[in-house]
Amino acid sequence: DSGVTQTPKHLITATGQRVTLRCSPRSGDLSVYWYQQSLDQGLQFLIQYYNGEERAKGNILERFSAQQFPDLHSELNLSSLELGDSALYFCASSVGDRPSEKLFFGSGTQLSVL
Amino acid sequence: AQSVTQPDIHITVSEGASLELRCNYSYGATPYLFWYVQSPGQGLQLLLKYFSGDTLVQGIKGFEAEFKRSQSSFNLRKPSVHWSDAAEYFCAVVHPMEYGNKLVFGAGTILRVKS
């Protein structure tokens, strides 16, 4: 158990809908990361937050947004969903925000867009 | 742009045999290098990492990796594979001077272990 909690584990929705994925980092970790894993794109970095502030951004679509709350949990919002958004979405956390940090991954949220 | 290549999509080894998983990177400078493992239905777990110094690094579960600057490689090895090592392995890099922590992952290598 990594200590990172993601909910829900599975999500099935329709095209055009909006969903929210939730992540609780390990106790004491200030950084939260979101990754997307799909068969065609592999593991893609989406976004990083550190202590409530956006720290780094990857190839995150404009239809996607995230935030980190004062209690350090994070939410990833996906809107106007398309079939191609079907993927496994991972959250990870680390103590700090440096490139040398060890990331602890949650077990992911499997999103299926029908 | 930086990239990570894992040339083997699948590898099958017999239990007790040695293992080497290949990883090559393309980067302007020597990045920080990582190996992560993903077991079915699980998140990724860090096996080992290399920042500088001794080019042979030891990790958890009996894994080691060797950094070779001349070949831009960071191959993962294990002298004797156990059935529980069956999983997907990801090599990853990050620029040491980059703001934030944007890990770039390779496509992964699926390891099958036959008894």
Side-chain angles (χ1 to χ4, degrees):
Chain A
D1 183 9
S2 67
V4 178
T5 303
Q6 289 188 249
T7 57
K9 292 193 182 305
H10 303 275
L11 200 48
I12 301 174
T13 188
T15 55
Q17 295 298 304
R18 172 190 169 94
V19 297
T20 298
L21 312 184
R22 182 188 169 98
C23 170
S24 294
R26 290 188 326 149
S27 176
D29 284 358
L30 298 179
S31 268
V32 169
Y33 310 78
W34 287 97
Y35 282 84
Q36 180 194 59
Q37 185 178 36
S38 61
L39 285 175
D40 54 345
Q41 299 281 343
L43 264 165
Q44 298 279 319
F45 169 77
L46 295 179
I47 198 163
Q48 176 196 1
Y49 280 82
Y50 175 74
N51 204 21
E53 301 283 331
E54 183 183 304
R55 184 66 95 200
K57 212 166 186 177
N59 297 324
I60 187 167
L61 299 172
E62 285 191 13
R63 301 183 285 108
F64 295 2
S65 65
Q67 58 184 122
Q68 187 180 27
F69 294 87
D71 68 352
L72 301 177
H73 91 272
S74 178
E75 292 182 356
L76 178 66
N77 299 296
L78 315 176
S79 62
S80 303
L81 284 168
E82 302 175 0
L83 295 177
D85 297 327
S86 296
L88 186 54
Y89 290 84
F90 283 111
C91 169
S93 72
S94 65
V95 174
D97 67 335
R98 295 166 298 174
S100 56
E101 298 285 338
K102 174 180 178 179
L103 269 60
F104 293 85
F105 283 79
S107 55
T109 293
Q110 181 68 58
L111 174 66
S112 299
V113 182
L114 306 178
Chain B
Q2 65 268 30
S3 66
V4 181
T5 302
Q6 293 182 246
D8 303 306
I9 298 174
H10 295 98
I11 280 187
T12 301
V13 299
S14 298
E15 192 169 13
S18 64
L19 169 70
E20 183 168 29
L21 302 182
R22 297 182 289 165
C23 172
N24 292 93
Y25 63 90
S26 173
Y27 226 91
T30 299
Y32 289 163
L33 297 149
F34 304 81
W35 275 99
Y36 281 83
V37 61
Q38 183 180 21
S39 299
Q42 302 294 318
L44 284 76
Q45 180 184 22
L46 179 67
L47 285 176
L48 46 76
K49 57 189 177 182
Y50 173 79
F51 299 153
S52 65
D54 191 348
T55 56
L56 185 64
V57 293
Q58 302 297 319
I60 62 170
K61 305 186 181 189
F63 285 92
E64 66 179 28
E66 185 172 14
F67 168 64
K68 292 185 177 179
R69 186 188 306 274
S70 61
Q71 298 176 19
S72 296
S73 71
F74 188 56
N75 293 350
L76 182 70
R77 301 195 295 243
K78 187 169 185 178
S80 177
V81 168
H82 188 261
W83 64 266
S84 60
D85 293 323
E88 188 162 15
Y89 292 79
F90 293 91
C91 181
V93 302
V94 67
H95 194 293
M97 300 304 293
E98 192 155 330
Y99 187 69
N101 187 356
K102 295 196 283 188
L103 267 179
V104 174
F105 284 89
T109 298
I110 296 173
L111 172 66
R112 298 190 180 111
V113 180
K114 59 181 181 180
S115 55

